[in-house]
Amino acid sequence: LQRDELEQSIPEFRKALESDPDYVEAHFRLAEALFCTGEISEATSHLQSALENDPGHIGAAQLQEVIRSSAGRIDAARA
């Protein structure tokens, strides 16, 4: 998806989570969209929710690792 498509998908994922707060795939897809639009903190929160409900969700675990390694590179650059 392109950035504008990602931004447009965010409200849809939020609406899905209003209906079912434990909807793992909605948490994951919302986290992806938020990450791609620069909302790292909120993306991390939704990844944690996805992984709490499905600890074996590979996509969520992989994205969480991407965010962690990105944060490490940013911290190293600041030092």
Side-chain angles (χ1 to χ4, degrees), residues 4 45 64:
D4 59 332
S45 175
Q64 188 175 54

Side-chain angles (χ1 to χ4, degrees), residues 38 40-41 67-79:
I40 307 304
S41 179
I67 290 172
R68 284 183 183 153
S69 63
S70 295
R73 286 192 303 270
I74 291 169
D75 290 342
R78 289 181 182 160

Side-chain angles (χ1 to χ4, degrees), residues 3-55:
R3 183 181 172 92
D4 59 332
E5 293 172 319
L6 287 169
E7 289 175 352
Q8 292 173 8
S9 70
I10 290 172
E12 295 173 28
F13 293 127
R14 291 187 195 284
K15 189 173 185 176
L17 288 169
E18 286 176 14
S19 299
D20 182 0
D22 296 328
Y23 187 6
V24 172
E25 199 62 22
H27 278 292
F28 171 60
R29 296 298 175 185
L30 178 55
E32 280 186 316
L34 291 166
F35 173 72
C36 290
T37 58
E39 300 293 330
I40 307 304
S41 179
E42 190 177 356
T44 300
S45 175
H46 284 284
L47 285 174
Q48 289 172 344
S49 294
L51 289 167
E52 285 173 7
N53 288 299
D54 182 1

